Amino acid sequence: MNQEFHRQEGNIEGTGFLPGLAIDTVIFGFHDGQLKVLLLEYKNTGLYALPGGFVHDDEDVNEAARRVLQNRTALNNIYLEQFYVFGDYSRYDPTPLKAIMKARGYSPPANHWLLKRFVSVGYYALVDFTRAIPAPDEISDSCNWYNLHELPALMQDHQQIINKALETLQRDLDRKLIGFNLMTEEFTMGDLQSLYETILNKKLIRAAFQRKMLGLGILERVAKKWTGGAHKAPYLYKFASNKTMVDKS
Amino acid sequence: MNQEFHRQEGNIEGTGFLPGLAIDTVIFGFHDGQLKVLLLEYKNTGLYALPGGFVHDDEDVNEAARRVLQNRTALNNIYLEQFYVFGDYSRYDPTPLKAIMKARGYSPPANHWLLKRFVSVGYYALVDFTRAIPAPDEISDSCNWYNLHELPALMQDHQQIINKALETLQRDLDRKLIGFNLMTEEFTMGDLQSLYETILNKKLIRAAFQRKMLGLGILERVAKKWTGGAHKAPYLYKFASNKTMVDKS
DNA sequence: TTATTATTGTAACATATTGATACAATAAAA
DNA sequence: TTTTATTGTATCAATATGTTACAATAATAA
């Protein structure tokens, strides 16, 4: 929940936004056999946080999440799913936001709307690491990928949000065909298995995995991939029915 | 989202509550082979709605949901799960609430907090029909069970909320052992199968169902049930490990 | 008492799914 | 040409699920 700050800093009442409601998005990517998460780093504060934002008072909540996502990744048509509302009272802690504003040379009044209690709607997104172009917002130094298991200390309860997002992703993985959203356009069976193994955090049986994936009838063989290794070249596959890749909610 | 009205009607600013945030709970029961839902009927308006409420500004959102549930059913320790946030702008329609207040002889000012846009957190609960004691709130004529497939016209998007709750329940049904929360203390295998069939809206194979349920190792045979029918008496079962019945979130 | 009837509990077999092993095919390097 | 590692797939084993069948009852009727 950290966007449009610039314009909203002076907007003490939070006019034009739904009060007390934030959006936090866990944007997953996959690269080099590792799950990645997009994080923002705030200027002069050392604070890391999930990309997020607020909801315009004439905007759907899901629409706001899509806007945030699009602003951080420069991608549209992305798989995005709402997964949980974080609404514990214990989340309420204005210190980090105060620090962020202070670091920008702004001393907010105590009743500034951003310093009040917020409830946050959690979303997770699955993006093609190679196509996303991480872009910081006005109050951030950087927007970068971090290995899921090597994250810096995060603001507020953002680590918990990520944990819950991962749990949800694990549950959803074989129920829907969403894993493909994390792949590049073309990939080998090994790539795909590596993705599944990383998400589920367990080894899978190669033969059974391949049989199952091919049995789904959604993979199209594109070409062979000469890796330069001293062995048979694997096939490159493409996800056939891109209809089901994206879930516009 | 219709509770504590009495006290809040005069509270034009909504002091003490999180602004713009409501809770709606789909309370499922099961009786006579039918899924039931608890609905409130508002006084003098003909409006039906899901039990709901607002969140105190020093209260967890999940806690508020539990409070609402407890107030409507006089039960605690109930299976309750948050399942979706309804945040479309198109939900925004102050007419029903205005009608409810008018029916109570109160003409709210246009800027009354209850007439503003609300985002609603959806919860579903699974209760033992025979133990719940439906209780209306101050602004309702009645709080009663309705057959899921014979519901009256509902306020706002409450029908959609129920639809989504049912979808979630169907998905969660075999992933977790939550079906038992809808059963009475003791039940026959036929009862349980009927519950599953009703929720999933499809016939199940008797032999396979029984085998699977017994294979879970969580059913305890209690006694036999003499139904008075001209046939073998079925066993009564009890859910053994009541640890997993309740999910306190 | 003794059939008759409907329903339950479970065995038995068929089919489908997944786990485990094996092996031929094959790029590149030795 | 041989060696090496990896891929694609066949084969069989183990498990899970679908299907049929049937003995074991409670009540009822004869």
Side-chain angles (χ1 to χ4, degrees):
Chain A
M1 60 131 151
N2 20 51
Q3 202 191 327
E4 303 171 14
F5 237 74
H6 188 58
R7 268 164 291 158
Q8 297 320 318
E9 232 168 31
N11 179 359
I12 290 160
E13 305 287 333
T15 310
F17 289 90
L18 293 188
L21 194 69
I23 279 172
D24 284 305
T25 310
V26 182
I27 304 174
F28 286 111
F30 185 69
H31 194 64
D32 279 338
Q34 291 235 278
L35 266 178
K36 312 266 184 178
V37 169
L38 258 196
L39 293 181
L40 294 170
E41 184 182 3
Y42 292 119
K43 288 173 181 159
N44 309 319
T45 61
L47 291 171
Y48 290 84
L50 289 170
F54 307 103
V55 186
H56 296 148
D57 60 8
D58 60 351
E59 181 184 44
D60 295 346
V61 175
N62 288 341
E63 209 179 290
R66 210 159 270 289
R67 173 170 51 77
V68 168
L69 183 58
Q70 151 106 52
N71 286 341
R72 287 306 128 254
T73 62
L75 294 176
N76 46 23
N77 246 19
I78 285 182
Y79 183 87
L80 177 66
E81 189 116 332
Q82 186 199 296
F83 71 95
Y84 200 71
V85 175
F86 298 86
D88 280 4
Y89 179 69
S90 60
R91 304 183 81 237
Y92 177 32
D93 175 17
T95 22
L97 270 185
K98 219 181 277 181
I100 291 166
M101 291 200 257
K102 281 245 171 78
R104 294 170 47 77
Y106 176 70
S107 280
N111 66 338
H112 195 290
W113 74 297
L114 291 174
L115 300 181
K116 293 191 176 145
R117 177 179 168 191
F118 271 80
V119 164
S120 189
V121 185
Y123 287 80
Y124 77 91
L126 305 181
V127 313
D128 178 347
F129 180 91
T130 62
R131 295 206 306 136
I133 302 158
D137 57 21
E138 302 91 339
I139 56 165
S140 309
D141 273 327
S142 68
C143 178
N144 271 313
W145 293 106
Y146 294 81
N147 287 331
L148 180 59
H149 298 294
E150 296 164 17
L151 299 178
L154 293 174
M155 214 175 90
Q156 293 178 338
D157 58 349
H158 287 199
Q159 182 65 60
Q160 282 166 255
I161 296 179
I162 292 174
N163 296 348
K164 185 117 187 167
L166 180 61
E167 284 169 32
T168 309
L169 173 58
Q170 289 172 337
R171 277 210 316 266
D172 289 351
L173 189 57
D174 31 30
R175 205 166 50 73
K176 311 179 193 172
L177 295 172
I178 58 176
F180 300 99
N181 292 294
L182 286 163
M183 291 273 91
T184 46
E185 178 88 16
E186 302 184 348
F187 50 88
T188 68
M189 197 54 77
D191 294 337
L192 193 58
Q193 184 175 344
S194 159
L195 170 67
Y196 271 69
E197 290 182 338
T198 306
I199 292 176
L200 300 175
N201 192 32
K202 67 172 180 189
K203 280 269 162 234
L204 298 175
I205 293 142
R206 190 176 62 90
F209 181 80
Q210 179 138 344
R211 179 177 51 201
K212 189 170 174 182
M213 285 299 147
L214 293 178
L216 292 175
I218 50 170
L219 291 185
E220 201 179 311
R221 255 179 206 171
V222 182
K224 288 204 174 188
K225 185 189 182 187
W226 281 269
T227 57
H231 52 76
K232 186 173 176 179
Y235 285 105
L236 280 172
Y237 293 93
K238 211 168 76 176
F239 186 57
S241 82
N242 14 8
K243 308 291 183 190
T244 61
M245 276 186 73
V246 175
D247 183 48
K248 286 182 191 161
S249 48
Chain B
M1 59 128 153
N2 21 51
Q3 202 191 327
E4 305 170 12
F5 236 74
H6 187 59
R7 268 164 291 158
Q8 298 320 319
E9 234 170 29
N11 179 358
I12 289 159
E13 304 287 334
T15 311
F17 288 91
L18 293 187
L21 194 69
I23 280 171
D24 284 305
T25 310
V26 182
I27 304 174
F28 287 110
F30 185 69
H31 194 63
D32 279 338
Q34 292 235 278
L35 266 178
K36 312 266 182 176
V37 169
L38 258 195
L39 293 182
L40 294 170
E41 185 184 2
Y42 292 120
K43 289 174 181 161
N44 310 318
T45 60
L47 291 171
Y48 290 83
L50 288 170
F54 306 104
V55 186
H56 296 148
D57 60 8
D58 60 351
E59 182 184 43
D60 296 346
V61 175
N62 289 340
E63 209 179 293
R66 211 158 269 288
R67 173 169 52 77
V68 167
L69 182 58
Q70 151 106 45
N71 287 340
R72 287 306 126 255
T73 61
L75 293 175
N76 46 24
N77 245 21
I78 285 183
Y79 183 87
L80 177 66
E81 190 117 331
Q82 187 199 293
F83 70 95
Y84 199 72
V85 175
F86 298 87
D88 281 3
Y89 180 70
S90 61
R91 302 183 82 238
Y92 178 32
D93 175 16
T95 21
L97 270 185
K98 217 180 277 181
I100 291 166
M101 293 201 257
K102 281 244 171 78
R104 294 169 46 77
Y106 177 70
S107 280
N111 66 338
H112 194 290
W113 75 297
L114 292 174
L115 301 181
K116 293 190 176 146
R117 177 180 169 193
F118 271 81
V119 165
S120 190
V121 185
Y123 287 81
Y124 78 89
L126 307 180
V127 312
D128 177 348
F129 180 90
T130 62
R131 296 205 307 136
I133 303 159
D137 57 21
E138 302 91 338
I139 56 165
S140 309
D141 273 328
S142 68
C143 179
N144 270 314
W145 292 106
Y146 293 81
N147 287 331
L148 180 61
H149 298 295
E150 297 163 16
L151 298 178
L154 293 175
M155 213 174 92
Q156 292 179 337
D157 59 349
H158 287 199
Q159 182 65 58
Q160 280 164 258
I161 296 179
I162 292 174
N163 296 347
K164 185 117 188 167
L166 179 61
E167 283 170 32
T168 309
L169 173 57
Q170 288 172 337
R171 278 210 316 266
D172 289 351
L173 189 57
D174 32 30
R175 204 166 50 73
K176 310 181 195 173
L177 295 171
I178 59 177
F180 300 98
N181 293 292
L182 287 163
M183 291 272 92
T184 47
E185 178 87 15
E186 300 183 350
F187 49 89
T188 68
M189 196 56 76
D191 294 337
L192 193 59
Q193 185 176 341
S194 159
L195 170 69
Y196 271 69
E197 288 182 342
T198 306
I199 293 176
L200 300 175
N201 194 30
K202 68 172 178 186
K203 280 269 162 231
L204 299 174
I205 293 141
R206 191 175 61 90
F209 181 79
Q210 180 138 343
R211 180 177 51 201
K212 189 169 175 183
M213 285 300 148
L214 292 180
L216 293 175
I218 51 169
L219 291 185
E220 199 180 312
R221 256 179 205 171
V222 182
K224 287 203 172 187
K225 185 189 183 186
W226 281 269
T227 58
H231 52 76
K232 186 173 176 177
Y235 285 104
L236 280 171
Y237 293 92
K238 211 168 77 177
F239 186 56
S241 84
N242 15 8
K243 309 291 184 190
T244 61
M245 279 184 73
V246 174
D247 185 46
K248 286 182 192 161
S249 48

